Amino acid sequence: MDALYIRKVLDGDSEAFRYFLKEYKHMAFTIALAVVKDEFTAEEVVQNAFLKAFRNLDKFHQQAKFSTWFYRIVTNEALMMHKKQKRDIVDLIPEYEEELLDESAILTMQQEEQQHLVNEALKQLSSKEALALRLFYLEEESVKSVGEITGWTTADVKTTMHRARKNLQGVLNQLLNRSLKV
Amino acid sequence: MKPQQPTNDLTSHLLKSKVVEMPFSDFEDRMMQRIVQQAEVSKQAHKDIKMSTLCFTIGCCLGIVATAWGYAYQWRTSSSGDTPLFVPVVLVGILALLHYRWPELKRRLGQAK
């Protein structure tokens, strides 16, 4: 399907690009949000990424997956934006202690509550860790694909994933404790 | 390529298929507007590149002709100095001025009418 619409856009039908917006906007937003942590900035990142993809569509090699190519653009745009923001904000990511997580408390939550909890937890993780988790689990990408999208080595992806899972548990614990106190 | 199984079941359960939806409902329309604008700019840029290539080629040809003509004229009259080249140089200058100032001249001529 992607290939068909790529051809249409390359043949001059700009309206055909709407297909990619519909298909990839949510995932692109999720990736961008994992890195920049702010909805408005994430939207700006997604806009820039789509525009870049449109401009460079003729350079996309059909042998590769469009999603991988596009997510790489989103990731680069998001990391660039994050770098710009970092000049003003000091990124303080604490190391979380490995505590036993009350899984049942999470599993009994409503779907929306779970999603809210995860989003909040990911906001507190470092951009690199949140990005790795999002890419690995959401699209069920392999370690190799995550590496292709982010440009990290396999070892780097594995290490980041390990640290990210551990820190996610720590943040979830903290958020759960806080909500219990309230 | 088979996706690797996540080691942590809870993380997997919490993160799988939980995409954060784009909260801006007009995103698609705004984006399409930018895309159409971009397409127009690209088209115009493409046209401009073609036009400038054509002008450059014509300019080169005219330059060669003018140089050859200048030398031939000089040889026939066997005069010295840069005088024979004066006419083509002035011609090229006028053409260049006309090319760059043409929209402004056209507007002024329109106003005069």
Side-chain angles (χ1 to χ4, degrees):
Chain A
M1 203 63 161
D2 285 353
L4 178 77
Y5 281 93
I6 289 169
R7 186 87 330 264
K8 277 187 179 186
V9 175
L10 289 178
D11 288 343
D13 180 6
S14 314
E15 193 56 37
F17 198 76
R18 198 180 278 274
Y19 161 81
F20 296 104
L21 296 179
K22 277 191 199 298
E23 200 70 17
Y24 295 104
K25 68 175 177 186
H26 297 308
M27 185 59 196
F29 184 72
T30 310
I31 294 172
L33 192 63
V35 179
V36 297
K37 321 277 183 199
D38 171 72
E39 289 185 346
F40 291 101
T41 319
E43 196 228 5
E44 202 184 321
V45 166
V46 177
Q47 277 198 27
N48 293 343
F50 272 122
L51 214 58
K52 217 172 198 175
F54 178 75
R55 270 196 227 122
N56 297 299
L57 205 59
D58 55 338
K59 290 180 194 126
F60 167 66
H61 304 293
Q62 304 272 355
Q63 303 99 301
K65 254 169 86 180
F66 176 82
S67 58
T68 308
W69 180 74
F70 179 60
Y71 294 154
R72 198 180 324 151
I73 296 176
V74 177
T75 305
N76 286 341
E77 282 292 318
L79 289 172
M80 247 160 51
M81 186 66 89
H82 183 62
K83 219 175 180 180
K84 254 192 243 172
Q85 287 177 322
K86 248 183 155 179
R87 283 183 200 144
D88 308 320
I89 308 157
V90 183
D91 218 1
L92 279 176
I93 307 294
E95 274 285 315
Y96 293 93
E97 282 177 28
E98 217 165 340
E99 290 173 63
L100 216 59
L101 183 68
D102 184 8
E103 292 191 12
S104 59
I106 295 175
L107 293 171
T108 50
M109 280 178 171
Q110 296 279 318
Q111 189 83 356
E112 291 85 35
E113 282 178 313
Q114 276 184 10
Q115 187 149 2
H116 178 73
L117 186 76
V118 170
N119 291 345
E120 281 305 306
L122 286 172
K123 270 185 190 170
Q124 292 188 34
L125 289 187
S126 76
S127 297
K128 200 177 173 184
E129 289 170 6
L131 178 68
L133 286 174
R134 279 302 195 194
L135 287 173
F136 188 80
Y137 288 110
L138 265 182
E139 285 277 292
E140 291 188 39
E141 301 278 10
S142 63
V143 170
K144 199 182 161 206
S145 300
V146 176
E148 271 172 27
I149 293 170
T150 55
W152 305 335
T153 61
T154 309
D156 206 5
V157 176
K158 281 182 182 168
T159 317
T160 310
M161 284 295 300
H162 176 74
R163 217 179 29 236
R165 281 195 202 102
K166 197 190 102 186
N167 283 341
L168 182 72
Q169 282 209 355
V171 182
L172 285 173
N173 246 334
Q174 216 175 51
L175 288 173
L176 275 177
N177 289 340
R178 211 180 292 163
S179 66
L180 284 175
K181 274 178 198 165
V182 173
Chain B
M1 195 161 32
K2 204 180 163 193
Q4 289 181 6
Q5 279 300 305
T7 52
N8 191 321
D9 287 343
L10 181 74
T11 320
S12 169
H13 168 79
L14 287 174
L15 287 163
K16 240 179 198 171
S17 41
K18 285 194 177 81
V19 178
V20 184
E21 290 207 357
M22 171 76 74
F24 309 100
S25 56
D26 60 340
F27 173 80
E28 256 178 54
D29 294 327
R30 276 189 291 123
M31 200 61 233
M32 273 318 293
Q33 232 173 333
R34 283 186 75 179
I35 293 290
V36 169
Q37 267 176 4
Q38 178 65 46
E40 274 167 18
V41 168
S42 307
K43 223 181 259 175
Q44 191 55 46
H46 207 69
K47 260 189 201 169
D48 288 349
I49 289 170
K50 265 189 189 169
M51 195 64 191
S52 54
T53 312
L54 183 76
C55 286
F56 177 74
T57 315
I58 291 172
C60 282
C61 293
L62 278 175
I64 292 166
V65 169
T67 312
W69 178 71
Y71 274 112
Y73 183 75
Q74 196 178 22
W75 178 73
R76 246 189 305 156
T77 56
S78 58
S79 62
S80 59
D82 292 332
T83 328
L85 284 174
F86 179 73
V87 180
V89 165
V90 169
L91 257 172
V92 169
I94 291 170
L95 278 172
L97 258 172
L98 271 175
H99 175 71
Y100 287 113
R101 294 286 172 191
W102 182 241
E104 200 185 317
L105 275 171
K106 214 167 136 184
R107 204 186 57 230
R108 283 192 180 175
L109 281 171
Q111 276 173 354
K113 274 179 191 172

